[in-house]
Amino acid sequence: MAAAHYQATDLASFVAAPGLVARWIREAVPGDVLVYARGEHLPPKSATAALVRKMLAAHKVGHRQRRQPDGRTDYEIRRKAPVRSGGRRPSRTVPVTAGPALDAKAMKVLRYLRIVAKAGDVCPPYATIGRITGIGTAEQARYAERKLRTAGKLTSELVDVAHGLRVVTFDDGLSTRRPTRKTAE
């Protein structure tokens, strides 16, 4: 299964909240990547930077800095496989599976939407889902979500037709936050 790639935002410069990074570390599967900060440099005294250093020391994540053409740096962490006692990594990592009809793109969308729901956020537009998960366009994200609905993994309720806002509810009852009028504006 291909690894998922997530970015907290597309702003010129940002540092993700420590709670978001901690939740991602708990929810991510080995190989998933999170761009947790972007800018000219990473603030050394930020709580997020301290959390990332702690997770690096515990060997839960790997770290990489990538310089972008505009001069900014993307700070990424990649989730590592858990370490068994004795320092050995498991010989086989069992990925989250949802049946034979779901491909890697649908699974990326499923994992990302569950992270959004657990964070208590509003379901993002399809274009954002496609960009953040790395699967491509809004149409590809919409198709992946349709596969998840067909497989019974989630339902999607359109709550604001004008803005395309929806609430996604998973088969275990977890759901994204219902958008407010202010969210739509």
Side-chain angles (χ1 to χ4, degrees):
M1 179 178 287
H5 187 106
Y6 304 106
Q7 291 186 180
T9 182
D10 285 328
L11 297 175
S13 181
F14 72 90
V15 176
L20 174 71
V21 174
R23 182 178 302 271
W24 179 86
I25 289 170
R26 284 191 307 271
E27 300 294 324
V29 296
D32 282 357
V33 175
L34 173 71
V35 178
Y36 70 92
R38 177 179 292 150
E40 292 181 16
H41 64 281
L42 183 61
K45 294 186 179 185
S46 78
T48 301
L51 174 64
V52 168
R53 285 191 295 273
K54 183 178 175 184
M55 294 298 107
L56 281 166
H59 303 287
K60 293 187 178 216
V61 298
H63 189 267
R64 181 167 85 168
Q65 298 176 20
R66 293 192 326 166
R67 176 73 68 187
Q68 299 300 316
D70 62 3
R72 296 177 299 164
T73 300
D74 280 355
Y75 296 87
E76 300 177 351
I77 51 176
R78 178 180 300 271
R79 187 67 167 100
K80 290 183 176 181
V83 177
R84 289 185 183 169
S85 60
R88 294 185 358 247
R89 295 205 182 275
S91 59
R92 184 171 88 95
T93 302
V94 180
V96 176
T97 59
L102 297 180
D103 58 8
K105 289 181 179 182
M107 292 306 297
K108 285 180 184 182
V109 170
L110 179 65
R111 283 196 305 264
Y112 173 67
L113 288 176
R114 288 191 65 83
I115 289 169
V116 169
K118 286 183 179 182
D121 290 336
V122 174
C123 185
Y126 290 114
T128 302
I129 294 170
R131 185 178 63 249
I132 289 176
T133 60
I135 67 167
T137 65
E139 285 303 315
Q140 290 169 313
R142 185 177 287 115
Y143 178 69
E145 188 177 298
R146 186 170 58 236
K147 285 175 130 178
L148 293 168
R149 285 194 310 266
T150 302
K153 295 297 174 187
L154 57 83
T155 60
S156 182
E157 174 192 359
L158 190 60
V159 294
D160 184 346
V161 177
H163 296 96
L165 299 176
R166 63 198 188 289
V167 173
V168 172
T169 304
F170 297 93
D171 56 356
D172 62 358
L174 179 68
S175 67
T176 57
R177 183 169 52 89
R178 182 169 289 279
T180 62
R181 180 178 269 287
K182 197 173 202 177
T183 307
E185 295 173 353

